[in-house]
């Protein structure tokens, strides 16, 4: 069953002089079992959108259906705790997700909260820490005495430890080193392909959208302005320009060369293929 | 002229566990330096040592020839502005306008000039509409814009950006980078940017690479970025320009090695017309 938003509106501080309309009657359907990228400018409403998925924010108007639950302004979903186990959300700022004294306790918190024994939960924590690329040495350290990128890894481990069906990640690669970002994206792909998890991620990294995602949703000023599958999205350069999206390096390079007299096909999205086309043209130019 | 000189700097948050090992480097006045390294390699720690927020276990830091010490910490902090990795750690004002004002007050800017400066910089980072908003309730990228405006408004001689644009959309990031470049070109501002963005590194004047608290490479982008295997082993990236050149080589096309996109485009256009 897809995740659907029906005329969902979110207004912060509704009814006060500080009211701010962050989402304006959006309709959106997100395919189950796929990896969907949510992109858009700063302040467009991406974080507001994804925080509805586990009812951290409730709509001001309209509704949202996720798994078998419907969430509206007045109906807090029953068994909120169960929903939060099935829909795991990693915040944009991981700091706000860390609170226990040790990293082991922090990651084990979720599983314990959902009924796992202390021992099982701690062994899960150990496993997850390794999956996000931190050594066992960190288990007994404080989550607050970490670098920015390390905090993000621990926050992601904490959510993965609950084994959610839907994984929602708000800029999960921000602050990760390049290899870390790549490993993390590959982990999400694995969770999607092998364990069939639905993955939604907010990102600004167009290379990640191009290389790892299936679908793209573009948010602009509280509206959904585009939903497409990835290949169509990146083939339509004029659409990218219209949406003020800075395309991935391969597309920028291809367009730049075409402007300077090359004639490279617009459906090339792979570096080896691009290199072949460039080499052919350079060698055979009369 | 050397603006900052760091010699034999060592530091550990816990004495038994040092995280910076005997680091030495210097930063030229007016240069744009990037610092790169894996998560936990010590980038933010070095930044905090340079502004005297952390105290080193050994080693010397000088700014304009002045040795960083208890006695002249205020003098040095007047010269250096920093944008922290998490902007929430730097907001003190209840509104965006107050927040920028606090920084200006600290720099003893006359109050009659303040309003003008606040509006100018809020405008330049495109946050004019949000002057009355509470900084902690902004979106992540908006917070970063405000933090950058606050530091630029103080017009320090040196600015350290610690992953300051990591949450901006690519277009927004390009705009903010252009603003920073603009100010850099007009003043003699010295910039130190901690970043994971390898394209930014390729366009800087000077690159310092950290690994587990050790400085492992230090030089111009060309001197550093051609150490491709080493960078990959250090969990870092290489510019797209170099990746493409490798692919071209596999297709039998040799190009003059270069680290920037503009460079590769020029080179390919030259080769095409030569044939
Ligand atoms: N407050 C702290 N207390 C104890 N150890 C810390 C503290 N902050 C950072 N560390 C440790 O010091 C080392 C260097 O951290 P630092 O924050 O300088 O890394 P970084 O290079 O900025 O990493 P990132 O790319 O993740 O921001 C890491 O091993 C980290 O775990
Ligand atoms: N708690 C809040 N109170 C008031 N306004 C908010 C709050 N959180 C976000 N906003 C505003 O809502 C808009 C959308 O924010 P957000 O969803 O965080 O954007 P982004 O697309 O960058 O994730 C922004 O203009 C932001 O300033
Ligand atoms: Mg956000
Ligand atoms: Mg850091």
């Amino acid at each position: 069953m897809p995740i659907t938003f029906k005329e969902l509106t979110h207004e912060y501080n509704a009814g006060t002089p500080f009211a701010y309309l962050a989402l304006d009657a959006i309709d959106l359907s997100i395919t189950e079992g796929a990896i969907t990228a949510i992109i858009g400018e700063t302040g467009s409403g991406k974080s507001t959108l994804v925080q509805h998925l586990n009812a951290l924010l409730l709509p001001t108007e309209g509704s949202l259906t996720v798994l078998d639950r419907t969430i509206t302004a007045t109906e807090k979903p029953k068994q909120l705790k169960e929903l939060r186990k099935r829909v795991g959300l990693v915040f944009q700022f991981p700091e706000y997700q860390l609170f226990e004294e040790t990293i082991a306790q922090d990651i084990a918190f979720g599983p314990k909260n959902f009924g796992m024994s202390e021992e099982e939960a701690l062994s899960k924590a150990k496993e997850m820490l390794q999956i996000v690329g931190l050594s066992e040495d960190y288990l007994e350290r404080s989550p607050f005495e970490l670098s920015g990128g390390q905090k993000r890894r621990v926050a992601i481990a904490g959510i993965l430890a609950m084994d959610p069906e839907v994984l929602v990640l708000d800029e999960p690669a921000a602050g990760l080193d390049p290899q870390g970002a790549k490993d993390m994206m590959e982990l999400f792909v694995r969770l999607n392909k092998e364990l069939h998890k639905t993955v939604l991620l907010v990102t600004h990294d167009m290379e990640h959208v191009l290389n790892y995602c299936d679908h793209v949703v573009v948010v602009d000023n509280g509206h959904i302005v585009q939903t497409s599958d990835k290949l169509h999205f990146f083939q339509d350069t004029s659409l990218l320009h219209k949406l003020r999206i800075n395309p991935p390096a391969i597309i920028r390079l291809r367009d730049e060369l075409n402007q300077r007299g090359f004639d490279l096909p617009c459906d090339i999205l792979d570096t080896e293929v691009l290199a072949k086309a460039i080499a052919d043209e350079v060698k055979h130019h009369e | 002229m050397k603006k900052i000189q760091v010699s034999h700097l060592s530091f550990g948050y816990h004495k038994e566990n040092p995280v910076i090992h005997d680091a030495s480097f210097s930063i030229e006045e007016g240069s744009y330096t990037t610092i790169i390294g894996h998560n936990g390699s010590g980038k933010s720690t070095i930044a905090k040592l340079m502004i005297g927020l952390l105290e080193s276990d050994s080693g010397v830091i000088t700014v304009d020839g002045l040795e960083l010490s208890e006695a002249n910490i205020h003098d040095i902090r007047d010269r250096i502005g920093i944008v922290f990795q998490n902007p929430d750690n730097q907001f003190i004002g209840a509104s965006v306008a107050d927040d920028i004002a606090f920084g200006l007050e600290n720099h003893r800017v006359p109050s009659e000039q303040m309003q003008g400066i606040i509006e100018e910089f809020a405008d330049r980072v495109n946050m004019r509409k949000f002057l009355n908003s509470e900084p902690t309730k902004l979106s992540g990228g908006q917070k970063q814009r405000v933090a950058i405006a606050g530091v630029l408004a103080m017009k320090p001689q040196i600015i350290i950006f610690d992953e300051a644009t990591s949450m901006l959309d690519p277009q927004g990031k390009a705009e903010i980078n252009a603003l920073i470049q603009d100010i850099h070109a007009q003043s003699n501002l010295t910039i130190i940017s901690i970043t994971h963005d390898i394209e930014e590194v390729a366009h800087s004047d000077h690159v310092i690479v950290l690994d587990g608290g050790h400085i492992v490479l230090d030089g111009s982008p060309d001197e550093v970025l051609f150490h491709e295997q080493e960078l990959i082993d250090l969990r870092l990236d290489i510019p797209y320009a170099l990746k493409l050149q490798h692919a071209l080589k596999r297709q039998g096309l040799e190009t003059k090695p270069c680290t920037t996109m503009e460079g590769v485009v020029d080179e390919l256009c030259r080769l095409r017309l030569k044939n």
Side-chain angles (χ1 to χ4, degrees):
Chain A
M1 204 171 59
I3 298 170
T4 47
F5 292 72
K6 279 209 194 90
E7 293 192 35
L8 185 143
T9 292
H10 190 92
E11 192 172 24
Y12 285 107
N13 309 314
T16 77
F18 297 103
Y20 188 97
L21 186 62
L23 293 175
D24 188 5
I26 63 163
D27 285 305
L28 174 66
S29 171
I30 288 165
T31 318
E32 195 178 19
I35 305 185
T36 302
I38 317 253
I39 67 175
E41 285 182 29
T42 303
S44 56
K46 306 176 297 294
S47 296
T48 307
L49 178 80
V50 298
Q51 288 175 69
H52 282 81
L53 287 158
N54 71 352
L56 207 61
L57 291 179
L58 291 177
T60 322
E61 276 171 61
S63 69
L64 151 83
T65 309
V66 53
L67 299 170
D68 46 5
R69 309 300 189 79
T70 298
I71 301 168
T72 67
T74 48
E75 291 168 69
K76 264 215 168 196
K78 294 187 190 68
Q79 297 160 317
L80 194 61
K81 189 166 149 185
E82 198 215 342
L83 175 71
R84 296 215 170 132
K85 182 206 173 302
R86 295 176 66 193
V87 181
L89 171 70
V90 180
F91 295 163
Q92 182 164 4
F93 290 97
E95 275 87 342
Y96 306 132
Q97 202 147 342
L98 306 171
F99 51 93
E100 290 279 347
E101 251 174 56
T102 67
I103 291 171
Q105 287 298 339
D106 210 287
I107 303 175
F109 178 85
K112 268 197 314 200
N113 196 22
F114 297 115
M116 222 186 242
S117 73
E118 173 93 17
E119 197 185 342
E120 273 179 303
L122 286 175
S123 110
K124 189 92 186 166
K126 203 161 139 185
E127 180 192 337
M128 289 305 136
L129 196 65
Q130 186 230 325
I131 283 190
V132 297
L134 287 175
S135 77
E136 265 182 41
D137 304 346
Y138 284 90
L139 280 172
E140 293 310 315
R141 289 178 51 175
S142 157
F144 301 102
E145 297 191 347
L146 291 176
S147 78
Q150 291 167 338
K151 283 181 184 159
R152 180 163 311 276
R153 290 164 193 258
V154 172
I156 293 174
I159 297 301
L160 294 179
M162 295 193 298
D163 193 25
E165 291 158 56
V166 179
L167 200 51
V168 185
L169 306 131
D170 198 347
E171 303 194 27
L176 293 186
D177 55 51
Q179 184 63 45
K182 194 162 167 269
D183 292 346
M184 204 59 87
M185 293 307 296
E186 283 169 2
L187 170 65
F188 301 149
V189 170
R190 235 170 28 245
L191 291 170
N192 170 256
K193 297 280 169 301
E194 292 167 17
L195 302 174
H196 312 291
K197 312 241 181 243
T198 302
V199 180
L200 243 88
L201 54 96
V202 177
T203 181
H204 291 305
D205 191 327
M206 294 304 137
E207 317 294 331
H208 289 171
V209 180
L210 178 63
N211 294 320
Y212 305 106
C213 296
D214 304 311
H215 300 290
V216 187
V217 172
V218 186
V219 188
D220 179 36
N221 195 17
H223 298 93
I224 306 294
V225 291
Q226 183 74 28
T227 53
S228 7
D229 76 82
K230 167 187 68 188
L231 291 179
H232 286 106
F233 182 71
F234 284 117
Q235 277 172 21
D236 191 347
T237 320
S238 62
L239 173 73
L240 295 179
H241 283 294
K242 203 182 96 212
L243 297 172
R244 287 177 31 93
I245 286 163
N246 197 4
I250 182 169
I251 296 179
R252 275 183 282 140
L253 188 103
R254 185 195 68 199
D255 288 0
E256 195 72 32
L257 287 172
N258 279 348
Q259 270 179 23
R260 302 261 304 259
F262 276 76
D263 186 23
L264 303 162
C266 274
D267 54 356
I268 296 183
L269 293 173
D270 177 89
T271 299
E272 294 300 327
V273 182
L274 180 67
K276 180 163 190 331
I278 293 173
D280 283 348
E281 215 176 299
V282 168
K283 287 183 204 153
H284 302 121
H285 183 72
E286 305 298 335
Chain B
M1 205 188 86
K2 303 264 180 279
K3 189 70 178 172
I4 300 182
Q5 205 139 16
V6 171
S7 341
H8 303 293
L9 188 69
S10 294
F11 172 80
Y13 291 91
H14 305 283
K15 284 276 178 308
E16 68 283 4
N17 186 12
V19 297
I20 302 295
H21 305 268
D22 194 26
S24 300
F25 60 89
S26 56
I27 309 260
E28 279 295 314
E29 178 164 17
S31 67
Y32 191 124
T33 299
T34 43
I35 301 184
I36 58 177
H38 63 78
N39 289 138
S41 58
K43 306 178 294 295
S44 299
T45 304
I46 286 203
K48 288 175 190 159
L49 288 164
M50 285 196 284
I51 58 163
L53 204 63
L54 294 173
E55 204 185 319
S56 68
D57 296 333
S58 61
V60 179
I61 299 174
T62 62
V63 178
D64 289 327
L66 218 64
E67 185 175 330
L68 179 69
S69 68
E70 198 102 17
N72 57 28
I73 180 104
H74 292 289
D75 191 2
I76 287 182
R77 282 217 191 131
D78 271 352
R79 299 168 202 232
I80 311 189
I82 183 165
V83 181
F84 289 110
Q85 189 164 6
N86 179 351
D88 283 341
N89 295 343
Q90 87 188 77
F91 295 133
I92 28 179
S95 71
V96 169
D98 281 356
D99 200 78
I100 303 177
F102 266 120
L104 295 174
E105 269 168 27
N106 278 338
H107 277 236
R108 298 170 292 278
V109 172
S111 50
E112 63 276 12
Q113 294 175 14
M114 271 207 225
Q115 193 56 28
I117 297 178
I118 292 170
E119 285 174 14
E120 177 197 340
F121 282 90
D123 226 12
R124 292 180 84 171
V125 299
N126 228 329
M127 287 295 290
R128 178 83 172 249
K129 275 199 318 227
F130 293 88
L131 276 174
N132 295 317
S133 305
E134 208 179 306
T136 53
K137 288 193 173 168
L138 295 171
S139 79
Q142 289 169 338
K143 286 178 184 175
Q144 290 190 321
R145 286 172 186 266
V146 171
I148 291 169
V151 169
L152 291 176
M154 292 190 275
K155 305 200 168 75
Q157 301 171 22
I158 305 166
I159 304 185
I160 304 176
F161 293 103
D162 192 352
E163 301 189 39
T165 58
S166 61
M167 289 177 182
L168 294 183
D169 54 280
Q171 193 85 26
K173 185 171 175 165
E175 286 164 15
I176 296 290
N177 282 341
L179 168 64
I180 292 171
Q181 289 294 357
D182 204 38
I183 293 174
H184 183 225
Q186 283 168 16
S187 58
N188 203 21
L189 179 64
T190 304
I191 295 179
I192 301 169
S193 175
I194 296 171
T195 183
H196 293 299
D197 181 349
I198 202 72
E199 309 297 333
E200 181 185 346
V201 174
H203 288 92
S204 65
D205 301 316
H206 173 197
V207 193
I208 295 172
V209 186
L210 276 170
D211 177 37
H214 298 271
I215 293 184
V216 289
L217 290 167
D218 180 345
S220 69
D222 277 358
E223 282 163 347
V224 169
L225 293 173
F226 290 125
H227 290 262
E228 295 166 60
Q229 194 52 48
E230 188 169 354
L231 291 173
I232 290 168
D233 293 343
L234 291 169
R235 309 181 52 81
L236 301 171
D237 204 359
I238 58 171
Y240 185 74
L242 288 176
K243 291 182 193 163
L244 179 80
Q245 285 173 301
H246 290 305
L248 288 169
K249 196 167 176 183
R250 285 190 285 275
Q251 299 296 333
L253 184 66
E254 291 279 351
T255 49
K256 191 166 108 262
C258 98
T259 57
T260 63
M261 196 86 111
E262 305 88 78
V264 182
V265 169
D266 286 346
E267 167 77 352
L268 289 171
C269 290
R270 190 182 65 79
L271 288 174
R272 175 172 173 271
L273 293 178
K274 211 177 76 186
N275 280 347

